[in-house]
Amino acid sequence: DQHGDLATLDRYRGRRVLLTFAYGHCSTACPLIVHKLLSARRENSDDIPIVVVTVDPWRDTPEQLPAIARGWQLGPADRVLSGRVAAVERVLASYGTRYRRNEQTGEVDHSTTTFVIDERGTIVRRLIGTAFRPEDLDTELR
């Protein structure tokens, strides 16, 4: 993560977490999704941590993560994660996150799903894109 710590979802057992996928060089959907999550969290008066896994480990190296976290104005409990390409690709696959990297430009097209994970580590909601409301961060099923 941006602090140089190894991160796993086990760290969040007993807490809800928002898990999404984005990358630092993106100037369109990624910063908008992170901003929307921060805004929804504020409106919800909640301290639910946001965990962002990069879809661009080629450029979002561990050394770049502090600047990305600052640029997205993430809080102290929020995390931006990267690592070896193969490790990141395994995480992306495990959450069904589709991506395609343009080898010439380095830009990455990817699916934009945020997962709301409850205190037991169970995915209770999938938020697609930015069309979600603060109450969608709640883990109580309606």
Side-chain angles (χ1 to χ4, degrees):
D1 70 11
Q2 70 267 29
H3 304 292
D5 296 330
L6 183 62
T8 68
L9 279 180
D10 287 339
R11 160 190 273 174
Y12 297 100
R13 278 289 180 223
R15 293 186 73 186
R16 292 180 295 149
V17 66
L18 301 171
L19 175 68
T20 196
F21 301 88
Y23 68 107
H25 288 83
C26 180
S27 60
T28 56
C30 297
L32 184 58
I33 289 168
V34 173
H35 173 76
K36 180 83 184 233
L37 288 170
L38 289 166
S39 178
R41 179 174 67 185
R42 269 191 307 277
E43 285 184 46
N44 221 15
S45 299
D46 206 340
D47 66 346
I48 186 170
I50 298 169
V51 176
V52 183
V53 177
T54 186
V55 294
D56 187 6
W58 299 271
R59 294 183 292 180
D60 291 350
T61 62
E63 298 78 28
Q64 299 299 316
L65 299 182
I68 294 168
R70 280 191 306 275
W72 285 337
Q73 299 178 340
L74 293 176
D78 302 326
R79 297 290 180 260
V80 182
L81 306 178
S82 187
R84 292 183 314 276
V85 172
V88 171
E89 287 177 330
R90 280 193 303 277
V91 171
L92 297 176
S94 72
Y95 284 92
T97 300
R98 294 181 315 273
Y99 70 97
R100 183 178 59 236
R101 182 171 186 259
N102 181 316
E103 295 296 327
Q104 279 73 42
T105 67
E107 294 303 300
V108 181
D109 290 326
H110 63 95
S111 53
T112 55
T113 303
T114 298
F115 297 90
V116 180
I117 301 172
D118 73 6
E119 295 83 352
R120 297 176 315 273
T122 303
I123 296 170
V124 293
R125 271 198 182 32
R126 287 174 174 80
L127 309 174
I128 308 300
T130 60
F132 55 86
R133 303 160 306 189
E135 55 268 24
D136 293 333
L137 304 185
D138 190 4
T139 56
E140 296 296 318
L141 298 177
R142 296 186 235 323

